[in-house]
Amino acid sequence: MNKVLFFAHLRDEAGAESVMMDAAGKTVAELKTLIAKKYGVTRLDTAMVAINEEFAPDADRIGDGDIIAFIPPVSGG
Amino acid sequence: MNYEISKTPIDTQAVIDKVIQRNAGAITTFIGTVRELTAGKKTQYLIYEAYESMAVKKLQQIGDEIQQRWEGAEVAITHRVGRLDITDVAVVIAVSTPHRADAYEANRYAIERIKEIVPIWKKEHWEDGQEWVGNQLETVAYPTGKPEGEDLGE
């Protein structure tokens, strides 16, 4: 199983801070498509994905137990 | 702990104290504050939110990048989260280096990198609504929608 975290506007849209799902074996790009459909979140094309707290490109494959985070464009500072 | 996310007001002097070193000839301090007017629109207050564990790692990465680029640099960064009112301090960056030019440059580098790679977001609250702020006009963060090259590193 995988914990999937949402932040900022993505959390508002998903209606949850995190969800549990089985994403093992999927690529980051595949998970983005799935999440967009299942949770109705928009603007995922501009979001980055982190696997275990490191930015991951679309082609990276998710392993069992990995923590996935959807990270909208940041606005700190 | 030179890199922190704080839920309470930042003690600026405490951040500066972390970079004091005998080889330093200069310490620069950047204090980011909450501005009232952005493009003519009046902010009432901001909510900052962070993916805290990753944010601390990315602040550390920025410090490591600075130490590779500017020899002898010491770096400390604290970023605030939660509700901030106008004039409140959102971020404090302290950099010490042997010579002053490096201290200025490295400090500027730190704030620009924060705006690119550190998972922190602000929600603007105006008189007539609220919105999470994405790419800020003053930055060129992720023109392709995702980090590239060295942003992906460590």
Side-chain angles (χ1 to χ4, degrees):
Chain A
M1 288 298 280
N2 299 90
K3 190 173 192 180
V4 179
L5 307 170
F6 300 109
F7 292 96
H9 76 84
L10 295 177
R11 185 194 53 224
D12 292 349
E13 287 184 353
E17 285 183 17
S18 67
V19 296
M20 294 299 294
M21 64 186 296
D22 184 11
K26 291 184 170 47
T27 64
V28 166
E30 287 165 356
L31 182 64
K32 273 188 182 182
T33 307
L34 185 71
I35 290 282
K37 271 188 201 159
K38 194 168 177 186
Y39 296 97
V41 295
T42 60
R43 290 179 281 170
L44 268 188
D45 51 325
T46 62
M48 298 165 276
V49 170
I51 299 178
N52 300 328
E53 302 175 356
E54 282 299 339
F55 291 116
D58 278 350
D60 271 21
R61 212 164 277 282
I62 294 158
D64 187 33
D66 284 349
I67 295 172
I68 314 300
F70 283 89
I71 298 182
V74 301
S75 51
Chain B
M1 283 296 296
N2 278 30
Y3 306 95
E4 293 185 40
I5 300 296
S6 175
K7 295 177 178 69
T8 54
I10 301 169
D11 178 350
T12 301
Q13 187 60 49
V15 180
I16 294 168
D17 288 347
K18 292 175 187 173
V19 303
I20 290 173
Q21 52 164 327
R22 297 182 71 85
N23 285 330
I27 298 175
T28 53
T29 308
F30 174 83
I31 302 174
T33 56
V34 177
R35 178 178 57 234
E36 182 166 46
L37 289 174
T38 297
K41 215 165 178 186
K42 206 169 184 176
T43 298
Q44 291 188 312
Y45 63 93
L46 298 178
I47 303 285
Y48 275 98
E49 155 186 323
Y51 179 10
E52 186 169 336
S53 53
M54 182 173 170
V56 170
K57 278 190 184 175
K58 291 289 141 187
L59 291 175
Q60 171 84 56
Q61 179 187 326
I62 292 168
D64 293 346
E65 288 173 4
I66 286 172
Q67 288 181 317
Q68 283 167 13
R69 284 171 171 77
W70 289 277
E71 205 181 330
E74 291 291 340
V75 185
I77 307 172
T78 299
H79 201 298
R80 182 82 188 276
V81 291
R83 177 186 162 134
L84 276 78
D85 293 313
I86 309 305
T87 76
D88 280 354
V89 174
V91 60
V92 175
I93 303 167
V95 178
S96 67
T97 57
H99 301 285
R100 68 183 180 280
D102 286 354
Y104 277 112
E105 281 177 29
N107 202 308
R108 177 67 189 266
Y109 177 87
I111 187 64
E112 301 304 334
R113 287 294 274 160
I114 286 172
K115 288 170 179 290
E116 288 173 349
I117 66 164
V118 181
I120 296 175
W121 302 270
K122 68 177 171 190
K123 192 176 200 176
E124 291 259 12
H125 289 253
W126 302 293
E127 287 164 333
D128 59 347
Q130 57 190 48
E131 188 183 14
W132 286 105
V133 177
N135 278 335
Q136 293 163 287
L137 290 175
E138 62 193 10
T139 74
V140 195
Y142 311 126
T144 63
K146 51 184 170 292
E148 295 176 276
E150 65 183 28
D151 288 357
L152 290 167
E154 274 87 292

